[in-house]
Amino acid sequence: MLKKAAVALGIVLILQSFFALCLVSALQLLVLRNTPFGVTGASPVVNAVASKVSLDTRSYADESAVMEAIGQSKLYGAYLPGQASDTLIVVPAKSFFGRVELEAAFEDAAKKLDRPLTVKAVKPLPKYDRLGGVSGLLLIPLLIGGYLAAVLLLKATRTAAAPWHVAMLVGYSTVGALLTDLIAGPGIGAYSNSHFWPLLPCFILIAASVSLAAAAFQRLLGPAGTLAVAILFIIVGGSAAGGVGVTLLPDYWQHLGAVFPPQHAIALVRNVIYFNGNNITTPLIVLGLYALAGGIVIGYLGRWRPVKRVGAAAPADAPDTPDTPDAVDVPAARAAGPKPAVRVLVALAIAAVMQCLFTVNYMSSAHEPVATDMPFGTVGRSPLLAATQRNLSLKVTQYPSEQAAKDAIDRAEIYGALIPGQTSNTLLVVPTQSDVAPLDLAANFEIAAKKLGQPLSVQQYAPHPLAKKDPFGLVVSLMLVPLLVGGYMASTMLRTVTGSATGRRRLTALLGFSVLAGLAVNLVVGPWLQGYPLEKFWIVWPILSLIVAVVALVAAVLQKLLGAAGTLVTVIVVMLFGNPSSGGANGVPYLPTFWTDIGPFLPPRNAYILLRNTIYFDGHGTTQALVVLLVYLAVPAIALALLDRFRTPEIPVTRETEAEATALTVPVGGLP
């Protein structure tokens, strides 16, 4: 038993570390790489930028040809040299962060070369998708919904391949796509209602490609098929989806992502919403091939090579036969349980509910990140501040001096500060607090300064600058996801192999796993990927271990009380409500009110604040977060000890219920 437990936890440790490696390596350094960029003539400005930024320059005859290429979603931007001045065209809908990098690089080069430059935005992003994240957010429920449909249908029918499975999964994909479309579009307003019908067949195709391919993997590989799909489609494919823009991914992730559905799903949805459905042939072909191949495998193996049926009741712990890796049909068990049709409907209903929850929660929390009451400091009074507050919601605190304002920044209390001067004004922005706030503050204050005719200097200020390989401050939020997922995966796997949610060694095993998991993720993100300043290595390790332990122990208690349903409850609390309310790299001020209010009571928000402030703010502002996490650690630990001591009745652990529960733990952290 100890050997089985060690092997199970070892598998989780490897998956968790691999998950962290994929997410962080793909998204930590958002730098343009071989970016398609149009030019209408030679320019020293383009040459200067191309020497520092990786551009795939393409020549066009004139502006009309450039605009046509942009409309077909072929370019991230273009440069049009002129006699008196030049024009830089940026395409925010193609990539928000790509637009930021292109503007900064070309404006800097034009200024150094004393060349007048006008910036023109084509295909601008609407307010309800101001960061261009809607296509990535839509992928989450479609990907997970399709995956869960295949997993739960397998559990309900005890087979992954039957002629009617194709119809069932396509039917579910249609219903799930319709629900996602209704919630995200008319319900939440993440895109205009005019896109409702064009997006519906796209959503159906995405969900069907995942669900059919997942079922085919399950039939071909048996129990390992579920894990294979989660690794390939969610962990690897999700990391390489390119929601921030494909050319901002490392080259190997760009090519690897092109093999799996998520990257093509992102391209399909984005091009339908913002580029009138242009350049979607490749995504349609790839997604269609996944769906077609999955359907053929399921249909062929289900009709001409069906799994063998066992005619008599088998013991609950009897192993699957070699010829039936994914199904053992026990008539006696079927007679005692619900009818097959009822089981199928219940399974697909659970998948649909989860898909709807992912759509509602992630879309409502992140599709329109607009700051509300952003903590901000000022030294004295300035008309610039009043003018800026007309467009940006700030919660202003007065400080007696510039040093006092900087001290407040050092304590992680404010996101920026205005220092008025006699000849110029200085705006301090804090990149370690938020990836978006510095951009918003700079843009709004510069507009106000231009209207009022006042000079303004924007300066970055932070106690510890962001790591060179984390220029947007994304790493902390990225490595948080594998920590959360690894926590409840460990508890679930341990329960599966031991047959119990308690036991004298269970608490020790989970705490020991947490220490090793924290170290493993720390080694991957720190020394290997250099995702944060390495002098913080030893203080980061116990924090990562604490986060894993909190989730693992919470899951263990819920599993003891609720059985396999405890895993599902943990997923809902931690990933469906906790993760969206964490604030992440954007920062808490960018969350809607509901998510702002519930975040302090859930582990992910406190875990993120504790980790970020320890790394970048010398541990200031972490007391509440640490106390909350310690409470979440202590209470379940005591509960586990008491439950074990008093030997409360144990909900039976069966292979079927735990297989389902384990499957649920894998995909929900794979957020593109």
Side-chain angles (χ1 to χ4, degrees), residues 153 162-174 212 298 348:
L153 188 61
W164 48 270
H165 267 210
V166 174
M168 291 295 298
L169 290 173
V170 171
Y172 172 83
S173 299
T174 302
L212 293 172
I298 297 169
L348 296 182

Side-chain angles (χ1 to χ4, degrees), residues 17 41 45 49 98 136 249 273 281 356 360 365 409 520 543 555 584 588 608 619 628 632 654:
S17 302
V45 176
V49 172
L249 299 174
I273 294 177
T281 302
C356 290
V360 171
S365 65
I409 292 176
I543 293 174
V588 174
Y608 180 80
V628 171
Y632 268 101
T654 65

Side-chain angles (χ1 to χ4, degrees), residues 145-319:
Y147 173 88
L148 288 181
V151 171
L152 297 180
L153 188 61
L154 166 63
K155 191 266 177 182
T157 62
R158 299 180 178 87
T159 179
W164 48 270
H165 267 210
V166 174
M168 291 295 298
L169 290 173
V170 171
Y172 172 83
S173 299
T174 302
V175 174
L178 178 61
L179 292 172
T180 297
D181 206 3
L182 286 169
I183 293 169
I188 293 176
Y191 47 83
S192 65
N193 289 339
S194 62
H195 291 111
F196 178 89
W197 291 111
L199 284 174
L200 182 58
C202 300
F203 291 173
I204 295 172
L205 178 60
I206 294 168
S209 68
V210 174
S211 62
L212 293 172
F217 270 102
Q218 289 166 342
R219 178 60 181 89
L220 293 171
L221 302 179
T226 298
L227 184 60
V229 172
I231 293 174
L232 296 177
F233 285 18
I234 311 294
I235 296 178
V236 176
S239 299
V244 294
V246 173
T247 66
L248 274 75
L249 299 174
D251 290 340
Y252 60 91
W253 278 114
Q254 293 183 32
H255 299 308
L256 188 60
V259 178
F260 300 107
Q263 189 176 108
H264 297 283
I266 291 274
L268 176 62
V269 172
R270 177 181 288 137
N271 288 356
V272 167
I273 294 177
Y274 293 119
F275 295 93
N276 299 319
N278 288 309
N279 200 19
I280 62 174
T281 302
T282 299
L284 289 174
I285 290 175
V286 173
L287 293 171
L289 286 175
Y290 266 97
L292 180 62
I296 290 174
V297 168
I298 297 169
Y300 171 74
L301 294 179
R303 181 177 295 276
W304 287 285
R305 294 184 60 188
V307 295
K308 295 179 180 179
R309 301 293 180 180
V310 179
D317 59 349

